[in-house]
Amino acid sequence: MTTAVKPVSFLHDKLTGAWGRKAVIGVPLVFLLVFFLLPFLVVFKISVSEMDNVVFKDLFVWADGVLQLKIKLGNYIFIALDDLYFQTYLSSLKFAGITTVICLLIAYPFAYFMARSPADRRPALLMLVMLPFWTSFLLRVYAWKMLLADSGVFNNVAIAMGFLAEPVKMMNTPFSLVLGMVYTYVPFMILPLYANLVKMDLSLLEAALDLGATPWQAFWRVTVPLSKSGIIAGSMLVFIPCVGEFVIPELLGGPQTLMIGRVLWDEFFSNNDWPMAATVAVVMVLLIIVPLALFNKYQAENTAGGRT
């Protein structure tokens, strides 16, 4: 009786394991297809379509027994040749890069301190990191407007204490834009770094110190390389949304801080030029996919190296 049950049980386990693996891979794949690829294809279709008032012309036209494909690439050519769009994309990448670097400089010491704190204090420190998310994003950005205004809290306090003779221009400048984005996205850098550092084997640091390394050398040669995956993950979580950020540049930035999110808004709602807006969106997505592809390549190489 026992010998008859074992093959059935073995076959059941094999089928369950195979379907389980397919389900684990298939669910996020279906999610990406439905909520990313299909909307992206719709946006791409709009970007290469001609617009007749409020109607988009079909890409495929059947006439006299001939199927014609009409694709309008003029918007892509215009973006490639127009300096305004080039400078806007460059400005978005620049501010996103600056924000990412500052977030890393702030988040790494904080995450390191959290990871080396006693275990009973870590939940409280994590709660402090996530506390801003309990308040509306718009309210937090508007609060910075009140703080950085010419007659805001910072200028009034500085003038009252005699540090300033007149208000300093802080609002609608690159400073206010970067400050707002750093404040908003620094938790997205802290959490991956903390998750990486808290799992690090401290015996490696002890071994480095025993071999004659100074604490600073042990940090740079052991801690930083082992936390590389956390640095990359946090940088991607900060850099990617910063590239397409709209609310913070609109509320805290000025004419000198034109970013691609504002251009998208203007093309969609001010100019009502949906094909051009869709073209801008497609190019922005492609700019974001490049660092994502590099990150996935690094993760794959790291995983393959760990297996070997």
Side-chain angles (χ1 to χ4, degrees):
M1 191 69 178
T2 306
T3 56
V5 173
K6 282 185 177 179
V8 176
S9 177
F10 175 76
L11 181 61
H12 177 270
D13 292 342
K14 291 290 289 183
L15 290 175
T16 304
W19 280 106
R21 286 191 294 270
K22 290 181 180 179
V24 169
I25 298 173
V27 170
L29 182 61
V30 171
F31 180 87
L32 289 176
L33 288 175
V34 174
F35 294 102
F36 173 74
L37 184 59
L38 290 180
F40 178 76
L41 291 177
V42 171
V43 173
F44 178 74
K45 175 187 177 298
I46 294 174
S47 69
V48 295
S49 300
E50 293 185 4
M51 193 171 181
D52 185 9
N53 293 326
V54 293
V55 178
F56 297 105
K57 295 182 179 180
D58 293 331
L59 297 181
F60 294 94
V61 179
W62 177 265
D64 300 328
V66 178
L67 182 64
Q68 298 178 346
L69 175 62
K70 293 185 177 181
I71 297 178
K72 180 183 178 182
L73 299 177
N75 292 330
Y76 289 95
I77 297 173
F78 182 78
I79 286 180
L81 299 178
D82 189 83
D83 289 338
L84 175 62
Y85 287 99
F86 176 77
Q87 292 298 329
T88 303
Y89 282 115
L90 193 63
S91 176
S92 299
L93 295 173
K94 179 185 72 174
F95 285 118
I98 293 172
T99 301
T100 303
V101 171
I102 296 176
C103 284
L104 178 60
L105 295 177
I106 295 174
Y108 201 100
F110 197 92
Y112 187 87
F113 171 76
M114 291 171 57
R116 299 296 176 264
S117 297
D120 58 341
R121 296 183 183 177
R122 292 172 191 169
L125 294 174
L126 278 174
M127 186 188 70
L128 291 176
V129 173
M130 295 183 289
L131 197 61
F133 294 109
W134 297 3
T135 308
S136 170
F137 169 71
L138 286 175
L139 289 178
R140 287 185 279 131
V141 176
Y142 267 111
W144 278 110
K145 287 192 69 172
M146 301 300 105
L147 293 172
L148 299 175
D150 294 345
S151 58
V153 176
F154 289 160
N155 275 318
N156 288 339
V157 171
I159 292 174
M161 297 181 67
F163 295 127
L164 296 175
E166 57 183 16
V168 175
K169 180 68 174 177
M170 291 185 284
M171 269 296 299
N172 298 326
T173 62
F175 168 76
S176 60
L177 171 64
V178 173
L179 179 63
M181 291 203 296
V182 168
Y183 166 76
T184 301
Y185 290 106
V186 73
F188 295 94
M189 182 72 77
I190 293 176
L191 294 176
L193 286 172
Y194 167 76
N196 186 270
L197 291 171
V198 78
K199 296 184 295 184
M200 195 179 73
D201 188 359
L202 297 182
S203 63
L204 298 174
L205 292 176
E206 296 176 0
L209 296 175
D210 291 340
L211 293 173
T214 64
W216 188 250
Q217 289 174 331
F219 173 77
W220 277 109
R221 296 185 179 184
V222 178
T223 303
V224 172
L226 290 177
S227 62
K228 188 181 295 184
S229 59
I231 294 173
I232 294 175
S235 299
M236 294 297 100
L237 286 175
V238 173
F239 181 82
I240 291 173
C242 281
V243 171
E245 181 61 53
F246 167 72
V247 175
I248 297 175
E250 176 68 16
L251 296 179
L252 299 181
Q256 301 175 352
T257 59
L258 185 62
M259 294 182 67
I260 203 64
R262 179 56 190 269
V263 173
L264 271 173
W265 173 273
D266 289 339
E267 294 291 356
F268 268 118
F269 301 105
S270 298
N271 300 336
N272 287 323
D273 191 348
W274 283 47
M276 177 57 74
T279 304
V280 173
V282 169
V283 175
M284 184 181 69
V285 170
L286 294 178
L287 287 176
I288 293 174
I289 286 178
V290 171
L292 271 179
L294 294 176
F295 173 66
N296 289 333
K297 181 176 181 295
Y298 168 79
Q299 289 288 82
E301 292 176 352
N302 203 22
T303 303
R307 289 177 180 175
T308 56

